[in-house]
Amino acid sequence: MNYRSEDGREAWPYLAATTVNERPASGGPGDVASVSSIGRSEIPPHQLHVPTVPDVCVIVPTRNESANVAPLVDRLSSGLAHLTAQVVFVDDSADDTPEQIRQIVATATMPVRLIRRGPGERAGGLGSAVAAGLAAAVEAGATWAVVMDGDLQHPPEVVADLVRAGVAADAELVVASRYLDGGSTVGLADAARVAVSAGATRLTRLAFPRRMSACTDPMSGFFAVRLASLDLDRLQPRGFKVLLEIIARSPRMRIAEVPFTFGSRTSGQSKATWREGVLFARRLMSLRVAGCLGRYGGKVAALSGFAAVGATGIAVNTIALWAVVTIVGAPLLLAAVTATQLSTAWNFVLTDTLVFRGPKSRPFWLRLGGFALINNAVLLLRLPLLSWLSFHAGLHYLTANAVTLLAAFAVRYLISDLFLFATGRTMSTINRTHESPISTSPQRPGVDRVADADPMPSAAVRNGPTDLVVDLRPAGPPPVRVTQGRLRWRYDIHGLVTVGSVSRLSELDCFATPDATGPFDIEIRGGFLKRPHVRSRARVTQYAAPAVSYEEHTARLGTDFMIEMSPRINVTVGPMLVASPHVLYTNVVEALLRFVLVARGRVLLHSACLDLDGQGVMLSARTDTGKTGTVLRLLRERGGGFLSDDMTILSADGTAWSFPKPMTISQHTLRAVEAGDLTRAEWRRLRLQSRLHSKQGRGIGCRMGEWNVPIMCLNALTQLVVPPPKYGVERLVPCRQQAAVTVAELFIIERGRAGLESIGAEALIDELIDNTDDAYQFPPFRYFAPALVIDGADYEQLRATERRILTQAMRRVRARRLVSSDFDWADRIPALTDC
């Protein structure tokens, strides 16, 4: 289940609240005393500073219920007088309901909170409103959540009975039932509504005979749930029947029931419509399929819906083809083109509204245009087949047309599911147990309060193809199985960071220390999560341990990895990363090195660095601008000492330390490589390698990273088939390698109209950090980096420290922007530095 952060919503300090007396020492979260024997004293709102952690959070979704707000809160205050409770209104109203709630907040004797959802946040209707309320209850640290309607048909006085019954029976879900002895449906408006309600109940119990055996009223919208037993990540509620969703997806929940009388509506209008009835039937079928097929149920349902729409499209296409051929008299192939345009429009409308429901990542025009493009591209493949089947195989043209449409089905579905109709994704939360409430547990910045701190960097995309999950359960990350544990390759980077790895990391060859014994700051082993899943989407899970995992579609066969960050950094990587160490280094290890070095008081800056006549010269640029070619020409033509061409370690005093990774020869770098530098076989391979591993090639990979594909696996396979063209600097140019230099000059090189200008201090730091971030644009860095915690500092703190070190380092450096249209930076830099 996906939840939006509450940042940006109309949010709600505790404007009125209650406090509680000290709990008995023997009381606990599950004791009756903690629910029913709590004293209460009232404090004026202006004297309150810290809100009380509630035992009960009452969630009330409202839509145009302004007249009911005041009596509802008044009756809840009386009924919950002996409980520590709060009310959360999740409001989608178009009238003055939110204003009425604000007025009540100012005078209520219990905490009242308002989550105001805008028109763009209401997908899923009442179901998503309840989900937002449940997420708020988890955030508040409540033990129980009670869901009820805001129209007073659910008696507020029953709320306390639900909680007490749950505690007494040690239940996890307590349902207020209209059909239990002592209950009544008197509030249903007429005989038709009684019949519809009873019929829906019987249908539900028939669909889930075992799961509903303990629940006489699965259509009730009035229930209490113990939050520690509820996995919000599993819920996907849409429409009215949230209770049905919870029971269907939580088959092991202990259920109790309390009878109640369904009251008459005092004001407002019923939200039950024929559309909600259709939605209920569709949801019931979807849940039944999901119950039979587990996590693949959603995919099967989508595939079935796509097939059903496709079947109607075949009918539309066939009728249109017949009409154009028979009535208009057009040639067969022209008629097929016309019929395809009509069926494309038909299929798109039904697919967009019925099959792939909910918010989409792609805009409407892109979905429509892409759908039409796919269908017409498939048509180009269908036409020769249609012609052959009709004129050579002897099939009737209508039969041949149906055959070609069926053949195109699989391709159309895959592209539609993976790209066109990809669902917008946001942060989801797996709730913590009650034993570690947010108000008392040690907080980890950016994790414990999802609503208060966005754990993604400001530039990250939150609606991409990757599920982002924050798992706050105290059990910590799942165990890993290590299959390759011997750290054969060992590296010591200037005495700042040590690395032990199961695979050779050629980028760190210059720091190899075979005799090192460890332990190492970063240890990389082969293995996989002990409970791997074949997933329909990639998933990044942030744990409170601290740890973070990345899982792709292929489970233990692919590129999954787990990073555990305490007391040292342990990285367990899947077999494809072990076999493709370049991808392992570039996408995982270097990101860790960047922030470990920050914790050690250094910056790993995306830049080249040379010693030209005793003067430290640094070059910074966006990826694939021309740093490597410029460095090669400067060394060949001017001599000097080489420190790095891609990454440089920089300390606060302005000292640059070498980081001599092998050079990558992309297309524009070829001009700086001389014929004698490489063998003929290397030159032949370089034609393909330089294209694939150029800016254009990486750009294609980054765009594919926005699709729902196992991008790390694809990257690893690509690197195995076509290794990147990497060569040590000594292979390409005679030079002196140097360990350190004090930086005096810095050039940010760009392509464009020739020019030279100075750069202000603040703009310089921004640009250097932007250029460094640009080196990590390939997924999954932007998803897992915000979960990093190094030496007790979280991602935002590390970023702030990185900026502070860089600011200090640049104080004595002359920084200029050097723009060229013809890659002539190597000709101009010596004159500009007086070298």
Side-chain angles (χ1 to χ4, degrees):
M1 181 59 210
N2 300 308
Y3 304 105
R4 296 176 59 90
S5 166
E6 291 171 12
D7 294 343
R9 288 183 182 157
E10 254 180 88
W12 22 260
Y14 282 77
L15 299 181
T18 59
T19 187
V20 297
N21 296 329
E22 186 174 347
R23 299 176 185 267
S26 61
D31 294 340
V32 175
S34 68
V35 177
S36 59
S37 301
I38 300 173
R40 188 181 74 158
S41 60
E42 296 183 5
I43 297 178
H46 66 275
Q47 295 182 14
L48 293 173
H49 301 289
V50 181
T52 301
V53 176
D55 284 303
V56 180
C57 184
V58 183
I59 299 165
V60 186
T62 52
R63 185 174 183 183
N64 302 337
E65 306 281 3
S66 60
N68 298 326
V69 171
L72 174 64
V73 173
D74 184 60
R75 290 169 63 180
L76 282 173
S77 299
S78 299
L80 298 173
H82 298 294
L83 300 177
T84 309
Q86 66 175 225
V87 183
V88 176
F89 287 98
V90 185
D91 186 68
D92 295 348
S93 299
D95 63 359
D96 64 341
T97 299
E99 285 70 26
Q100 292 295 323
I101 296 173
R102 293 189 189 95
Q103 293 178 18
I104 295 300
V105 164
T107 59
T109 58
M110 65 186 302
V112 177
R113 306 169 67 178
L114 170 63
I115 299 176
R116 174 72 172 149
R117 305 199 307 171
E121 301 176 295
R122 299 171 185 172
L126 183 139
S128 64
V130 171
L134 290 171
V138 170
E139 181 206 358
T143 308
W144 289 87
V146 178
V147 178
M148 64 181 300
D149 290 346
D151 54 14
L152 297 178
Q153 290 187 288
H154 294 162
E157 294 77 13
V158 177
V159 170
D161 294 337
L162 293 174
V163 176
R164 292 192 186 100
V167 173
D170 192 26
E172 296 163 305
L173 179 67
V174 185
V175 179
S177 173
R178 297 164 292 184
Y179 301 111
L180 203 65
D181 288 343
S184 172
T185 60
V186 67
L188 291 175
D190 49 40
R193 285 200 63 192
V194 172
V196 168
S197 177
T201 298
R202 284 192 290 270
L203 184 62
T204 301
R205 291 171 64 83
L206 182 64
F208 295 94
R210 294 181 61 186
R211 298 186 191 184
M212 301 298 171
S213 60
C215 181
T216 60
D217 193 358
M219 298 296 98
S220 175
F222 192 11
F223 60 90
V225 61
R226 195 187 295 267
L227 290 170
S229 303
L230 185 65
D231 188 351
L232 294 180
D233 193 48
R234 289 178 58 85
L235 300 184
Q236 302 171 14
R238 288 187 174 275
F240 276 36
K241 305 309 175 185
V242 181
L243 177 61
L244 168 62
E245 182 89 17
I246 292 175
I247 297 176
R249 295 191 183 275
S250 308
R252 294 180 177 84
M253 268 194 171
R254 297 185 299 276
I255 301 175
E257 292 191 306
V258 170
F260 87 106
T261 298
F262 189 67
S264 300
R265 179 179 296 275
T266 58
S267 64
Q269 295 182 347
S270 173
K271 313 303 185 299
T273 62
W274 68 269
R275 185 179 182 277
E276 291 296 336
V278 172
L279 182 58
F280 161 72
R282 183 180 183 274
R283 196 64 188 152
L284 182 63
M285 181 176 65
S286 175
L287 287 170
R288 183 62 277 176
V289 171
C292 295
L293 300 174
R295 63 179 180 273
Y296 304 109
K299 282 294 177 188
V300 172
L303 179 61
S304 301
F306 195 84
V309 168
T312 66
I314 290 177
V316 170
N317 189 286
T318 302
I319 293 171
L321 182 67
W322 173 84
V324 175
V325 170
T326 304
I327 300 175
V328 179
L332 175 60
L333 297 186
L334 177 60
V337 172
T338 305
T340 296
Q341 309 316 309
L342 293 173
S343 62
T344 293
W346 172 273
N347 281 357
F348 174 80
V349 171
L350 295 186
T351 301
D352 195 56
T353 56
L354 298 180
V355 179
F356 298 100
R357 298 171 57 86
K360 313 294 195 306
S361 299
R362 313 294 174 188
F364 177 84
W365 65 267
L366 181 58
R367 300 197 304 274
L368 176 59
F371 196 79
L373 180 63
I374 292 168
N375 277 15
N376 283 281
V378 171
L379 175 65
L380 294 178
L381 301 176
R382 284 179 50 229
L383 289 178
L385 180 60
L386 176 64
S387 176
W388 182 83
L389 290 174
S390 299
F391 301 121
H392 298 282
L395 288 181
H396 190 276
Y397 72 91
L398 294 180
T399 304
N401 184 60
V403 170
T404 61
L405 289 172
L406 289 172
F409 168 78
V411 173
R412 290 174 49 242
Y413 174 74
L414 286 174
I415 297 176
S416 297
D417 179 58
L418 296 179
F419 179 70
L420 290 180
F421 300 97
T423 305
R425 317 297 290 180
T426 53
M427 183 68 67
S428 62
T429 303
I430 296 177
N431 63 309
R432 63 173 68 241
T433 64
H434 183 82
E435 283 72 13
S436 56
I438 288 175
S439 61
T440 59
S441 65
Q443 290 205 3
R444 175 178 159 205
V447 176
D448 279 349
R449 297 181 64 84
V450 177
D452 294 340
D454 184 353
M456 295 298 297
S458 58
V461 178
R462 305 274 308 272
N463 63 345
T466 301
D467 285 328
L468 307 175
V469 178
V470 179
D471 188 339
L472 301 179
R473 294 176 291 190
V480 296
R481 179 180 177 185
V482 175
T483 57
Q484 295 173 272
R486 184 187 173 197
L487 306 180
R488 297 177 55 208
W489 305 92
R490 302 147 195 183
Y491 309 94
D492 187 335
I493 303 173
H494 294 299
L496 298 170
V497 184
T498 57
V499 179
S501 175
V502 70
S503 298
R504 177 189 174 187
L505 305 174
S506 60
E507 287 83 354
L508 299 180
D509 276 351
C510 61
F511 300 115
T513 54
D515 298 330
T517 58
F520 302 95
D521 295 315
I522 302 173
E523 297 186 349
I524 304 160
R525 294 177 172 84
F528 48 82
L529 301 181
K530 281 192 176 180
R531 296 189 296 273
H533 295 289
V534 176
R535 297 193 175 278
S536 60
R537 291 182 179 274
R539 168 177 288 196
V540 171
T541 306
Q542 179 179 358
Y543 305 93
V548 61
S549 65
Y550 175 79
E551 302 169 76
E552 278 194 344
H553 309 63
T554 52
R556 68 177 62 186
L557 300 177
T559 52
D560 293 4
F561 60 84
M562 166 76 77
I563 303 174
E564 299 172 272
M565 294 165 278
S566 179
R568 65 179 58 88
I569 299 176
N570 291 301
V571 186
T572 305
V573 301
M576 289 193 68
L577 286 180
V578 173
S580 184
H582 173 68
V583 175
L584 168 61
Y585 175 82
T586 304
N587 293 281
V588 181
V589 177
E590 192 170 273
L592 293 173
L593 284 175
R594 174 183 176 183
F595 293 108
V596 171
L597 284 167
V598 168
R600 307 289 195 271
R602 305 292 192 276
V603 172
L604 186 61
L605 194 66
H606 183 211
S607 62
C609 190
L610 302 172
D611 180 345
L612 298 180
D613 292 340
Q615 189 169 208
V617 178
M618 184 175 285
L619 308 179
S620 176
R622 307 286 281 186
T623 303
D624 284 306
T625 297
K627 293 192 309 299
T628 298
T630 302
V631 167
L632 287 173
R633 284 195 56 202
L634 285 170
L635 291 173
R636 192 185 305 277
E637 298 168 13
R638 302 289 176 171
F642 172 78
L643 283 83
S644 64
D645 88 301
D646 185 59
M647 290 288 173
T648 306
I649 300 174
L650 191 65
S651 60
D653 63 2
T655 301
W657 299 84
S658 64
F659 203 85
K661 294 163 54 178
M663 292 181 165
T664 301
I665 307 302
S666 56
Q667 271 190 298
H668 65 267
T669 309
L670 285 174
R671 69 187 69 204
V673 179
E674 295 189 351
D677 294 338
L678 303 175
T679 66
R680 289 186 177 181
E682 287 173 328
W683 276 108
R684 285 195 298 270
R685 290 196 301 269
L686 198 56
R687 293 178 181 177
L688 173 61
Q689 290 174 308
S690 63
R691 289 182 178 276
L692 184 62
H693 297 281
S694 66
K695 184 175 183 178
Q696 290 75 19
R698 276 192 289 273
I700 293 172
C702 289
R703 287 193 293 274
M704 288 180 64
E706 299 300 326
W707 304 352
N708 182 22
V709 296
I711 188 62
M712 284 273 281
C713 283
L714 294 177
N715 191 17
L717 288 171
T718 301
Q719 305 284 353
L720 287 171
V721 175
V722 185
K726 287 186 172 292
Y727 300 93
V729 65
E730 68 280 356
R731 279 289 315 276
L732 303 175
V733 63
C735 67
R736 167 175 51 88
Q737 297 201 35
Q738 188 166 321
V741 70
T742 299
V743 179
E745 301 277 357
L746 185 146
F747 294 95
I748 293 182
I749 62 174
E750 291 182 1
R751 299 183 199 175
R753 185 176 180 181
L756 177 70
E757 64 179 17
S758 297
I759 307 175
E762 191 68 23
L764 173 65
I765 303 305
D766 289 341
E767 195 152 357
L768 290 176
I769 291 177
D770 286 345
N771 288 348
T772 300
D773 287 339
D774 182 62
Y776 299 97
Q777 59 183 306
F778 200 86
F781 170 79
R782 64 177 177 270
Y783 296 120
F784 80 81
L788 296 180
V789 176
I790 310 294
D791 293 345
D794 69 8
Y795 180 71
E796 294 302 328
Q797 293 169 330
L798 291 167
R799 298 271 298 191
T801 302
E802 180 181 56
R803 187 179 188 87
R804 184 167 58 252
I805 296 170
L806 191 55
T807 300
Q808 294 174 356
M810 290 294 109
R811 285 178 178 173
R812 297 180 181 87
V813 176
R814 181 168 61 166
R816 289 171 286 178
R817 186 186 317 280
L818 183 59
V819 186
S820 171
S821 59
D822 57 1
F823 297 90
D824 68 344
W825 299 290
D827 298 324
R828 301 170 62 188
I829 286 174
L832 294 171
T833 58
D834 300 322
C835 294

